[in-house]
Amino acid sequence: MLLREACGVFGVFDFGGRPVFPFIYWGLISQNHRGHHSYGFTGLDEDFVSHRSLGIIPPMRHPVIKRLFKRLRGNVGIGHVRYATSGRDTQYWLLRDIQPLVMSDSENKVALAFNGNLVNVKQLRSELRRRGRGSFHSSSDVELLGGVLLCGLRRSDLSSAVEGCMRTIEGAFSVVGLTRGGELFAFRDPLGIKPLCYGCSQDNQMFAVSSESVGLDINDFRYESEVQPGELLVWSKDGMRRETIVECRRRAFCSFEFAYFARPDSILGHGQPVYKIRETFGRNLAREDPDIWRRVDVIVSIPATGDDAAYGLHEESGIPWERAIRRHRYVVDRAFISDQRERETIISKKINVKEAIKGKRIAVVEDSIVRGDTSRKIVKKLRRAGAKEIHMYFTFPRIISPCFYGIDMATFGELIGSQHTEEEIAKLIGADSVHYQSLRNFVRATGMSEDELCLGCLTGKYPTPSAQKLADEMRKRFEAGEIEMGRIYEVA
Ligand code: SF4
């Protein structure tokens, strides 16, 4: 499955005064899977010092990175990797939209980076215009978020400014930021849609905030906890402060993180490693299809997000798991994938199929099917390699509705699952059958309840009112046969 996902953030504060750039660098390297369009670092010395660039983060020996080790000497900093799921995706705008974004007014200056997507963009833009922040220099949501924050800071302190963000902004936002006074702060929307956690170095001198816990692991930091929905954390020379800004009435954690986005070795939800959850997904697929062993000789998986579920399916069913599909390791270029043809080329270059499946009836374990183009290509490759029958098993239940919180699936028309039954999907992608994990078992495997997860793209029921309204209007238009506009939720 090939999707643009929506960013990774990392921030560090060192009470010992040491330069934090190396920690940010590694924290983002471990999360580069969350964004290939661009990356950026901002540290604080006397003033903010930034480096922002398109593409993936270069290796440590690259001259740019070597220079940054010398340039970014401050004891506090943040970083960001980005996939553009909001804003415009021409080179010009991608450059302008790189985060962290440094924003200021006559009194305050902040650097911000965030993971998520804002839904009530139109309303926020007019509100900011009304307050005299009417000119926008980027096409990214982060500028709106920063605008609301700066308006709040002009009137009050950081806690109240963050409260202003949480009360006026609808959508997903896991944020890290710096103030000119040298504070590192992090906050998360009151539904906790996107992940954000924090941890501490072994000598208790450094604290880090990260989208995924692997950012802490790579730095040998201890995982402390999630940043709770509606919570603000601040580190400054005076110590650490943790505040509940807005009470979390219900959580709505993105369920897609479990199936696809997060690294398997990250900890999500109530503290389980993702790979264990994915193994359970595979076991569920076997339990839900007890006759699988009659139809299938061998299990294969689409690396890497299908691997753990394939192991679970293999354990539960007793069917051999053949690692016949491998990934071309250095085909990582998912940036600027904007048209169908380009996407298909990338898919085709990404995986390699070995002939061990020749003459076999195979079960293919994959995380999800969104548009169907990836699966179609994979099935074609497997047929060419001689597979006799191909049965597709998806761990993520059928996607029937768009996402408004930062995942690149914006219209009903592009979603194969919104228009077709399993039998029809099998035909369309050229497989012999298609199986989805049931929603009930999926939810149970995550260790969270339905009321703690966002299941909007699976059920059409969204945790925020504007997203629900947009989805209902879009569905009506789609069913009436009208042409949908991509990323319609951003139209101002
Ligand atoms: S709609 Fe789907 S992809 Fe979007 S946040 Fe909710 S669960 Fe995640």
Side-chain angles (χ1 to χ4, degrees):
M1 204 265 308
L2 198 63
L3 270 184
R4 290 190 280 194
E5 48 198 292
C7 313
V9 298
F10 199 79
V12 190
F13 187 97
D14 184 11
F15 286 102
R18 291 161 293 187
V20 293
F21 173 70
F23 298 90
I24 304 171
Y25 173 78
W26 289 115
L28 285 185
I29 284 276
S30 71
Q31 300 186 91
N32 223 166
H33 61 287
R34 297 188 75 88
H36 287 176
H37 275 144
S38 63
Y39 67 92
F41 306 99
T42 298
L44 186 71
D45 228 337
E46 304 271 288
D47 198 354
F48 293 123
V49 186
S50 295
H51 173 79
R52 295 143 42 94
S53 180
L54 292 179
I56 60 170
I57 304 173
M60 222 176 131
R61 285 169 183 271
H62 193 284
V64 165
I65 299 300
K66 278 186 173 172
R67 273 199 300 277
L68 286 176
F69 271 90
K70 291 191 189 124
R71 253 184 83 212
L72 296 179
R73 305 291 304 161
N75 73 320
V76 58
I78 57 175
H80 187 261
V81 287
R82 177 170 192 256
Y83 267 119
T85 57
S86 75
R88 300 171 192 158
D89 60 3
T90 62
Q91 180 105 344
Y92 174 79
W93 287 105
L94 286 170
L95 269 166
R96 292 194 82 105
D97 291 347
I98 297 174
Q99 298 179 38
L101 193 69
V102 176
M103 292 178 70
S104 60
D105 60 16
S106 52
E107 289 161 46
N108 294 288
K109 194 170 186 183
V110 290
L112 284 177
F114 99 118
N115 173 24
N117 205 79
L118 312 187
V119 184
N120 57 339
V121 167
K122 197 174 165 183
Q123 180 198 327
L124 292 170
R125 275 188 200 273
S126 30
E127 180 59 26
L128 285 171
R129 276 197 194 102
R130 202 179 59 75
R131 294 203 211 168
R133 289 200 65 94
S135 60
F136 300 99
H137 305 285
S138 72
S139 72
S140 158
D141 291 355
V142 73
E143 198 173 354
L144 298 176
L145 203 146
V148 178
L149 191 77
L150 282 170
C151 287
L153 282 172
R154 210 183 300 161
R155 288 197 306 254
S156 190
D157 60 5
L158 182 61
S159 303
S160 307
V162 169
E163 183 177 354
C165 291
M166 290 188 186
R167 298 222 184 264
T168 54
I169 298 174
E170 177 180 328
F173 45 99
S174 284
V175 183
V176 293
L178 299 176
T179 64
R180 197 164 37 187
E183 294 165 303
L184 168 70
F185 60 90
F187 62 91
R188 199 169 168 207
D189 64 79
L191 292 162
I193 298 175
K194 299 291 172 187
L196 194 65
C197 62
Y198 84 98
C200 179
S201 63
Q202 303 299 332
D203 65 1
N204 299 319
Q205 288 292 299
M206 291 178 122
F207 284 82
V209 193
S210 181
S211 288
E212 288 188 39
S213 60
V214 288
L216 305 173
D217 296 339
I218 198 169
N219 282 308
D220 202 20
F221 280 25
R222 202 171 57 238
Y223 175 89
E224 291 287 334
S225 86
E226 274 189 294
V227 175
Q228 296 301 325
E231 193 178 35
L232 165 71
L233 271 71
V234 184
W235 291 269
S236 69
K237 57 180 173 21
D238 302 325
M240 175 183 161
R241 179 172 109 232
R242 201 171 172 179
E243 261 181 88
T244 302
I245 300 291
V246 169
E247 207 62 51
C248 167
R249 294 216 185 89
R250 68 149 291 190
R251 300 183 59 141
F253 185 68
C254 170
S255 49
F256 217 177
E257 290 278 348
F258 292 104
Y260 172 64
F261 297 138
R263 263 179 54 167
D265 43 345
S266 276
I267 290 171
L268 285 187
H270 293 313
Q272 276 195 80
V274 172
Y275 78 91
K276 291 303 276 180
I277 294 168
R278 290 184 184 157
E279 278 176 27
T280 310
F281 290 165
R283 290 202 173 86
N284 289 342
L285 285 168
R287 287 180 200 130
E288 290 174 7
D289 184 14
D291 282 341
I292 183 172
W293 59 274
R294 288 187 206 275
R295 283 182 288 109
V296 163
D297 305 313
V298 67
I299 296 165
V300 295
S301 51
I302 306 301
T305 42
D307 291 343
D308 297 308
Y311 174 71
L313 180 60
H314 151 74
E315 286 260 295
E316 188 69 25
S317 65
I319 301 167
W321 174 27
E322 180 85 43
R323 306 292 304 274
I325 305 179
R326 298 290 169 160
R327 195 172 159 172
H328 292 293
R329 203 167 171 177
Y330 297 103
V331 181
V332 292
D333 191 0
R334 299 164 71 192
F336 312 109
I337 300 168
S338 53
D339 65 48
Q340 175 79 7
R341 221 179 34 207
E342 194 176 353
R343 195 160 50 224
E344 295 214 355
T345 309
I346 299 283
I347 296 158
S348 149
K349 299 283 178 235
K350 212 162 200 173
I351 60 162
N352 197 19
V353 180
K354 300 322 287 175
E355 288 189 357
I357 56 164
K358 200 169 184 173
K360 305 257 173 67
R361 300 170 303 167
I362 59 171
V364 183
V365 183
E366 164 75 304
D367 53 79
S368 57
I369 177 166
V370 178
R371 301 174 186 93
D373 47 5
T374 312
S375 299
R376 197 177 304 119
K377 202 91 193 170
I378 288 166
V379 169
K380 210 165 154 191
K381 276 200 156 200
L382 292 166
R383 292 261 185 237
R384 214 179 303 134
K388 193 168 148 201
E389 284 180 29
I390 300 168
H391 303 277
M392 299 295 291
Y393 288 79
F394 298 106
T395 60
F396 199 55
R398 189 147 66 101
I399 299 170
I400 59 162
S401 219
C403 175
F404 303 96
Y405 305 117
I407 309 309
D408 185 23
M409 38 194 200
T411 61
F412 284 95
E414 74 190 78
L415 303 173
I416 198 167
S418 77
Q419 312 166 62
H420 299 287
T421 63
E422 290 173 24
E423 290 73 27
E424 287 168 347
I425 293 170
K427 259 197 200 137
L428 284 167
I429 63 172
D432 292 279
S433 68
V434 158
H435 308 257
Y436 289 100
Q437 184 180 191
S438 69
L439 184 64
R440 192 164 155 263
N441 281 336
F442 172 85
V443 169
R444 197 180 293 169
T446 65
M448 299 179 87
S449 71
E450 274 194 34
D451 290 340
E452 293 177 301
L453 291 168
C454 173
L455 300 168
C457 53
L458 301 176
T459 60
K461 293 190 183 108
Y462 296 86
T464 63
S466 302
Q468 189 64 59
K469 197 165 160 244
L470 281 168
D472 294 343
E473 283 168 5
M474 283 170 69
R475 174 162 277 289
K476 258 189 225 153
R477 278 204 292 268
F478 173 63
E479 285 172 354
E482 288 175 30
I483 293 172
E484 294 176 282
M485 293 162 74
R487 302 179 181 180
I488 197 161
Y489 49 97
E490 289 163 24
V491 177

